[in-house]
PDB file of all heavy atoms in Angstrom:
ATOM      1  N   ASP A 436      11.896 -47.372 -79.631  1.00 97.00           N
ATOM      2  CA  ASP A 436      12.450 -48.058 -78.435  1.00 97.00           C
ATOM      3  C   ASP A 436      11.572 -49.270 -78.162  1.00 97.00           C
ATOM      4  O   ASP A 436      12.078 -50.348 -77.822  1.00 97.00           O
ATOM      5  CB  ASP A 436      12.429 -47.145 -77.242  1.00 97.00           C
ATOM      6  CG  ASP A 436      13.488 -46.023 -77.447  1.00 97.00           C
ATOM      7  OD1 ASP A 436      14.408 -46.268 -78.229  1.00 97.00           O
ATOM      8  OD2 ASP A 436      13.365 -45.035 -76.692  1.00 97.00           O
ATOM      9  N   ILE A 437      10.235 -49.149 -78.334  1.00 97.00           N
ATOM     10  CA  ILE A 437       9.346 -50.279 -78.079  1.00 97.00           C
ATOM     11  C   ILE A 437       9.434 -51.321 -79.134  1.00 97.00           C
ATOM     12  O   ILE A 437       9.477 -52.545 -78.822  1.00 97.00           O
ATOM     13  CB  ILE A 437       7.843 -49.799 -77.969  1.00 97.00           C
ATOM     14  CG1 ILE A 437       7.678 -48.901 -76.739  1.00 97.00           C
ATOM     15  CG2 ILE A 437       6.906 -51.009 -77.920  1.00 97.00           C
ATOM     16  CD1 ILE A 437       6.334 -48.217 -76.634  1.00 97.00           C
ATOM     17  N   HIS A 438       9.646 -50.933 -80.331  1.00 97.00           N
ATOM     18  CA  HIS A 438       9.830 -51.896 -81.409  1.00 97.00           C
ATOM     19  C   HIS A 438      11.063 -52.773 -81.272  1.00 97.00           C
ATOM     20  O   HIS A 438      11.137 -53.857 -81.807  1.00 97.00           O
ATOM     21  CB  HIS A 438       9.822 -51.132 -82.793  1.00 97.00           C
ATOM     22  CG  HIS A 438       8.427 -50.568 -83.149  1.00 97.00           C
ATOM     23  ND1 HIS A 438       8.349 -49.601 -84.024  1.00 97.00           N
ATOM     24  CD2 HIS A 438       7.223 -50.974 -82.735  1.00 97.00           C
ATOM     25  CE1 HIS A 438       7.036 -49.340 -84.147  1.00 97.00           C
ATOM     26  NE2 HIS A 438       6.337 -50.156 -83.422  1.00 97.00           N
ATOM     27  N   GLN A 439      12.004 -52.251 -80.607  1.00 97.00           N
ATOM     28  CA  GLN A 439      13.247 -53.040 -80.337  1.00 97.00           C
ATOM     29  C   GLN A 439      12.903 -54.297 -79.511  1.00 97.00           C
ATOM     30  O   GLN A 439      13.536 -55.320 -79.657  1.00 97.00           O
ATOM     31  CB  GLN A 439      14.285 -52.199 -79.618  1.00 97.00           C
ATOM     32  CG  GLN A 439      14.956 -51.087 -80.445  1.00 97.00           C
ATOM     33  CD  GLN A 439      15.701 -51.727 -81.606  1.00 97.00           C
ATOM     34  OE1 GLN A 439      16.340 -52.817 -81.506  1.00 97.00           O
ATOM     35  NE2 GLN A 439      15.619 -51.096 -82.753  1.00 97.00           N
ATOM     36  N   ILE A 440      11.863 -54.197 -78.679  1.00 97.00           N
ATOM     37  CA  ILE A 440      11.476 -55.329 -77.890  1.00 97.00           C
ATOM     38  C   ILE A 440      10.821 -56.446 -78.842  1.00 97.00           C
ATOM     39  O   ILE A 440      11.081 -57.627 -78.753  1.00 97.00           O
ATOM     40  CB  ILE A 440      10.455 -54.931 -76.778  1.00 97.00           C
ATOM     41  CG1 ILE A 440      11.106 -53.926 -75.827  1.00 97.00           C
ATOM     42  CG2 ILE A 440       9.977 -56.226 -76.048  1.00 97.00           C
ATOM     43  CD1 ILE A 440      10.149 -53.528 -74.705  1.00 97.00           C
ATOM     44  N   TYR A 441      10.036 -55.951 -79.813  1.00 96.00           N
ATOM     45  CA  TYR A 441       9.428 -56.836 -80.744  1.00 96.00           C
ATOM     46  C   TYR A 441      10.526 -57.535 -81.573  1.00 96.00           C
ATOM     47  O   TYR A 441      10.400 -58.769 -81.931  1.00 96.00           O
ATOM     48  CB  TYR A 441       8.452 -56.099 -81.626  1.00 96.00           C
ATOM     49  CG  TYR A 441       7.147 -55.649 -80.953  1.00 96.00           C
ATOM     50  CD1 TYR A 441       6.954 -54.346 -80.561  1.00 96.00           C
ATOM     51  CD2 TYR A 441       6.148 -56.615 -80.630  1.00 96.00           C
ATOM     52  CE1 TYR A 441       5.799 -53.893 -79.938  1.00 96.00           C
ATOM     53  CE2 TYR A 441       5.027 -56.176 -79.954  1.00 96.00           C
ATOM     54  CZ  TYR A 441       4.863 -54.899 -79.627  1.00 96.00           C
ATOM     55  OH  TYR A 441       3.687 -54.421 -78.964  1.00 96.00           O
ATOM     56  N   ARG A 442      11.483 -56.799 -81.936  1.00 96.00           N
ATOM     57  CA  ARG A 442      12.491 -57.320 -82.798  1.00 96.00           C
ATOM     58  C   ARG A 442      13.401 -58.321 -82.090  1.00 96.00           C
ATOM     59  O   ARG A 442      14.007 -59.281 -82.698  1.00 96.00           O
ATOM     60  CB  ARG A 442      13.464 -56.217 -83.351  1.00 96.00           C
ATOM     61  CG  ARG A 442      12.743 -55.224 -84.277  1.00 96.00           C
ATOM     62  CD  ARG A 442      13.710 -54.198 -84.820  1.00 96.00           C
ATOM     63  NE  ARG A 442      13.045 -53.233 -85.648  1.00 96.00           N
ATOM     64  CZ  ARG A 442      12.895 -51.978 -85.215  1.00 96.00           C
ATOM     65  NH1 ARG A 442      13.307 -51.624 -84.033  1.00 96.00           N
ATOM     66  NH2 ARG A 442      12.249 -51.132 -85.981  1.00 96.00           N
ATOM     67  N   ASN A 443      13.458 -58.312 -80.736  1.00 95.00           N
ATOM     68  CA  ASN A 443      14.260 -59.160 -79.988  1.00 95.00           C
ATOM     69  C   ASN A 443      13.486 -59.882 -78.918  1.00 95.00           C
ATOM     70  O   ASN A 443      13.935 -60.079 -77.730  1.00 95.00           O
ATOM     71  CB  ASN A 443      15.439 -58.351 -79.329  1.00 95.00           C
ATOM     72  CG  ASN A 443      16.322 -57.646 -80.286  1.00 95.00           C
ATOM     73  OD1 ASN A 443      17.157 -58.215 -80.926  1.00 95.00           O
ATOM     74  ND2 ASN A 443      16.046 -56.395 -80.512  1.00 95.00           N
ATOM     75  N   TYR A 444      12.293 -60.267 -79.197  1.00 93.00           N
ATOM     76  CA  TYR A 444      11.314 -60.731 -78.165  1.00 93.00           C
ATOM     77  C   TYR A 444      11.753 -62.017 -77.546  1.00 93.00           C
ATOM     78  O   TYR A 444      11.422 -62.306 -76.382  1.00 93.00           O
ATOM     79  CB  TYR A 444       9.939 -60.932 -78.807  1.00 93.00           C
ATOM     80  CG  TYR A 444       9.823 -62.043 -79.779  1.00 93.00           C
ATOM     81  CD1 TYR A 444       9.411 -63.356 -79.370  1.00 93.00           C
ATOM     82  CD2 TYR A 444      10.104 -61.913 -81.155  1.00 93.00           C
ATOM     83  CE1 TYR A 444       9.314 -64.363 -80.279  1.00 93.00           C
ATOM     84  CE2 TYR A 444      10.037 -62.914 -82.088  1.00 93.00           C
ATOM     85  CZ  TYR A 444       9.661 -64.160 -81.633  1.00 93.00           C
ATOM     86  OH  TYR A 444       9.548 -65.148 -82.547  1.00 93.00           O
ATOM     87  N   LEU A 445      12.615 -62.848 -78.213  1.00 94.00           N
ATOM     88  CA  LEU A 445      13.030 -64.090 -77.586  1.00 94.00           C
ATOM     89  C   LEU A 445      13.889 -63.792 -76.356  1.00 94.00           C
ATOM     90  O   LEU A 445      14.022 -64.655 -75.578  1.00 94.00           O
ATOM     91  CB  LEU A 445      13.686 -64.915 -78.596  1.00 94.00           C
ATOM     92  CG  LEU A 445      12.826 -65.573 -79.771  1.00 94.00           C
ATOM     93  CD1 LEU A 445      13.748 -66.282 -80.777  1.00 94.00           C
ATOM     94  CD2 LEU A 445      11.812 -66.480 -79.148  1.00 94.00           C
ATOM     95  N   GLN A 446      14.610 -62.718 -76.416  1.00 95.00           N
ATOM     96  CA  GLN A 446      15.525 -62.359 -75.263  1.00 95.00           C
ATOM     97  C   GLN A 446      14.853 -61.455 -74.239  1.00 95.00           C
ATOM     98  O   GLN A 446      15.413 -61.238 -73.197  1.00 95.00           O
ATOM     99  CB  GLN A 446      16.653 -61.606 -75.891  1.00 95.00           C
ATOM    100  CG  GLN A 446      17.556 -62.205 -76.956  1.00 95.00           C
ATOM    101  CD  GLN A 446      18.564 -61.323 -77.526  1.00 95.00           C
ATOM    102  OE1 GLN A 446      19.337 -60.757 -76.838  1.00 95.00           O
ATOM    103  NE2 GLN A 446      18.464 -61.140 -78.868  1.00 95.00           N
ATOM    104  N   ALA A 447      13.575 -61.133 -74.425  1.00 96.00           N
ATOM    105  CA  ALA A 447      12.916 -60.233 -73.487  1.00 96.00           C
ATOM    106  C   ALA A 447      12.228 -60.936 -72.368  1.00 96.00           C
ATOM    107  O   ALA A 447      11.803 -62.098 -72.537  1.00 96.00           O
ATOM    108  CB  ALA A 447      11.904 -59.388 -74.258  1.00 96.00           C
ATOM    109  N   GLN A 448      12.212 -60.285 -71.195  1.00 96.00           N
ATOM    110  CA  GLN A 448      11.408 -60.836 -70.025  1.00 96.00           C
ATOM    111  C   GLN A 448       9.901 -60.743 -70.305  1.00 96.00           C
ATOM    112  O   GLN A 448       9.158 -61.607 -70.037  1.00 96.00           O
ATOM    113  CB  GLN A 448      11.741 -60.063 -68.798  1.00 96.00           C
ATOM    114  CG  GLN A 448      12.961 -60.422 -68.064  1.00 96.00           C
ATOM    115  CD  GLN A 448      13.169 -59.621 -66.792  1.00 96.00           C
ATOM    116  OE1 GLN A 448      12.348 -58.758 -66.491  1.00 96.00           O
ATOM    117  NE2 GLN A 448      14.097 -59.966 -65.954  1.00 96.00           N
ATOM    118  N   VAL A 449       9.526 -59.578 -70.961  1.00 97.00           N
ATOM    119  CA  VAL A 449       8.166 -59.310 -71.045  1.00 97.00           C
ATOM    120  C   VAL A 449       7.530 -60.212 -72.074  1.00 97.00           C
ATOM    121  O   VAL A 449       8.143 -60.521 -73.171  1.00 97.00           O
ATOM    122  CB  VAL A 449       7.864 -57.853 -71.472  1.00 97.00           C
ATOM    123  CG1 VAL A 449       8.444 -57.507 -72.857  1.00 97.00           C
ATOM    124  CG2 VAL A 449       6.388 -57.455 -71.355  1.00 97.00           C
ATOM    125  N   ASP A 450       6.319 -60.738 -71.831  1.00 96.00           N
ATOM    126  CA  ASP A 450       5.617 -61.539 -72.809  1.00 96.00           C
ATOM    127  C   ASP A 450       5.158 -60.667 -74.014  1.00 96.00           C
ATOM    128  O   ASP A 450       4.381 -59.741 -73.744  1.00 96.00           O
ATOM    129  CB  ASP A 450       4.419 -62.300 -72.140  1.00 96.00           C
ATOM    130  CG  ASP A 450       3.589 -63.088 -73.145  1.00 96.00           C
ATOM    131  OD1 ASP A 450       4.072 -63.854 -73.788  1.00 96.00           O
ATOM    132  OD2 ASP A 450       2.328 -62.813 -73.172  1.00 96.00           O
ATOM    133  N   ILE A 451       5.533 -61.027 -75.173  1.00 96.00           N
ATOM    134  CA  ILE A 451       5.254 -60.153 -76.287  1.00 96.00           C
ATOM    135  C   ILE A 451       3.751 -60.059 -76.623  1.00 96.00           C
ATOM    136  O   ILE A 451       3.271 -59.015 -77.127  1.00 96.00           O
ATOM    137  CB  ILE A 451       6.069 -60.706 -77.620  1.00 96.00           C
ATOM    138  CG1 ILE A 451       6.236 -59.524 -78.562  1.00 96.00           C
ATOM    139  CG2 ILE A 451       5.359 -61.850 -78.197  1.00 96.00           C
ATOM    140  CD1 ILE A 451       7.163 -58.437 -78.172  1.00 96.00           C
ATOM    141  N   VAL A 452       3.044 -61.107 -76.260  1.00 96.00           N
ATOM    142  CA  VAL A 452       1.583 -61.137 -76.591  1.00 96.00           C
ATOM    143  C   VAL A 452       0.943 -60.076 -75.650  1.00 96.00           C
ATOM    144  O   VAL A 452       0.089 -59.315 -76.081  1.00 96.00           O
ATOM    145  CB  VAL A 452       0.950 -62.472 -76.338  1.00 96.00           C
ATOM    146  CG1 VAL A 452      -0.584 -62.396 -76.480  1.00 96.00           C
ATOM    147  CG2 VAL A 452       1.462 -63.505 -77.322  1.00 96.00           C
ATOM    148  N   THR A 453       1.304 -60.122 -74.344  1.00 97.00           N
ATOM    149  CA  THR A 453       0.678 -59.128 -73.481  1.00 97.00           C
ATOM    150  C   THR A 453       1.153 -57.708 -73.798  1.00 97.00           C
ATOM    151  O   THR A 453       0.386 -56.734 -73.617  1.00 97.00           O
ATOM    152  CB  THR A 453       0.989 -59.432 -71.979  1.00 97.00           C
ATOM    153  OG1 THR A 453       2.348 -59.391 -71.790  1.00 97.00           O
ATOM    154  CG2 THR A 453       0.381 -60.761 -71.590  1.00 97.00           C
ATOM    155  N   LEU A 454       2.356 -57.579 -74.224  1.00 97.00           N
ATOM    156  CA  LEU A 454       2.851 -56.173 -74.591  1.00 97.00           C
ATOM    157  C   LEU A 454       2.065 -55.633 -75.804  1.00 97.00           C
ATOM    158  O   LEU A 454       1.680 -54.521 -75.815  1.00 97.00           O
ATOM    159  CB  LEU A 454       4.412 -56.297 -74.921  1.00 97.00           C
ATOM    160  CG  LEU A 454       4.930 -54.896 -75.372  1.00 97.00           C
ATOM    161  CD1 LEU A 454       4.813 -53.811 -74.339  1.00 97.00           C
ATOM    162  CD2 LEU A 454       6.413 -55.060 -75.810  1.00 97.00           C
ATOM    163  N   ASP A 455       1.883 -56.595 -76.767  1.00 97.00           N
ATOM    164  CA  ASP A 455       1.097 -56.134 -77.990  1.00 97.00           C
ATOM    165  C   ASP A 455      -0.287 -55.766 -77.662  1.00 97.00           C
ATOM    166  O   ASP A 455      -0.819 -54.754 -78.117  1.00 97.00           O
ATOM    167  CB  ASP A 455       1.102 -57.304 -78.925  1.00 97.00           C
ATOM    168  CG  ASP A 455       0.543 -56.901 -80.368  1.00 97.00           C
ATOM    169  OD1 ASP A 455       1.019 -55.912 -80.863  1.00 97.00           O
ATOM    170  OD2 ASP A 455      -0.453 -57.498 -80.756  1.00 97.00           O
ATOM    171  N   ARG A 456      -0.934 -56.509 -76.753  1.00 97.00           N
ATOM    172  CA  ARG A 456      -2.356 -56.196 -76.320  1.00 97.00           C
ATOM    173  C   ARG A 456      -2.321 -54.897 -75.520  1.00 97.00           C
ATOM    174  O   ARG A 456      -3.183 -54.010 -75.811  1.00 97.00           O
ATOM    175  CB  ARG A 456      -2.851 -57.356 -75.359  1.00 97.00           C
ATOM    176  CG  ARG A 456      -4.277 -57.197 -74.925  1.00 97.00           C
ATOM    177  CD  ARG A 456      -4.517 -57.711 -73.594  1.00 97.00           C
ATOM    178  NE  ARG A 456      -3.735 -57.038 -72.608  1.00 97.00           N
ATOM    179  CZ  ARG A 456      -2.989 -57.627 -71.614  1.00 97.00           C
ATOM    180  NH1 ARG A 456      -2.987 -58.900 -71.494  1.00 97.00           N
ATOM    181  NH2 ARG A 456      -2.305 -56.906 -70.736  1.00 97.00           N
ATOM    182  N   ASP A 457      -1.348 -54.648 -74.625  1.00 97.00           N
ATOM    183  CA  ASP A 457      -1.344 -53.443 -73.882  1.00 97.00           C
ATOM    184  C   ASP A 457      -1.094 -52.228 -74.777  1.00 97.00           C
ATOM    185  O   ASP A 457      -1.641 -51.174 -74.604  1.00 97.00           O
ATOM    186  CB  ASP A 457      -0.211 -53.586 -72.778  1.00 97.00           C
ATOM    187  CG  ASP A 457      -0.562 -52.761 -71.627  1.00 97.00           C
ATOM    188  OD1 ASP A 457      -1.451 -53.144 -70.844  1.00 97.00           O
ATOM    189  OD2 ASP A 457       0.071 -51.653 -71.458  1.00 97.00           O
ATOM    190  N   GLN A 458      -0.203 -52.426 -75.785  1.00 97.00           N
ATOM    191  CA  GLN A 458       0.009 -51.344 -76.758  1.00 97.00           C
ATOM    192  C   GLN A 458      -1.248 -50.929 -77.504  1.00 97.00           C
ATOM    193  O   GLN A 458      -1.523 -49.816 -77.767  1.00 97.00           O
ATOM    194  CB  GLN A 458       1.148 -51.749 -77.722  1.00 97.00           C
ATOM    195  CG  GLN A 458       2.581 -51.441 -77.170  1.00 97.00           C
ATOM    196  CD  GLN A 458       3.040 -50.123 -77.647  1.00 97.00           C
ATOM    197  OE1 GLN A 458       3.352 -49.917 -78.766  1.00 97.00           O
ATOM    198  NE2 GLN A 458       3.182 -49.202 -76.681  1.00 97.00           N
TER     199      GLN A 458
END
Side-chain angles (χ1 to χ4, degrees):
D436 290 341
I437 294 173
H438 288 157
Q439 288 298 322
I440 299 178
Y441 290 104
R442 294 187 186 102
N443 301 278
Y444 69 94
L445 292 175
Q446 303 173 55
Q448 280 186 352
V449 67
D450 175 54
I451 203 70
V452 175
T453 60
L454 177 62
D455 188 56
R456 183 212 64 226
D457 208 72
Q458 274 267 291

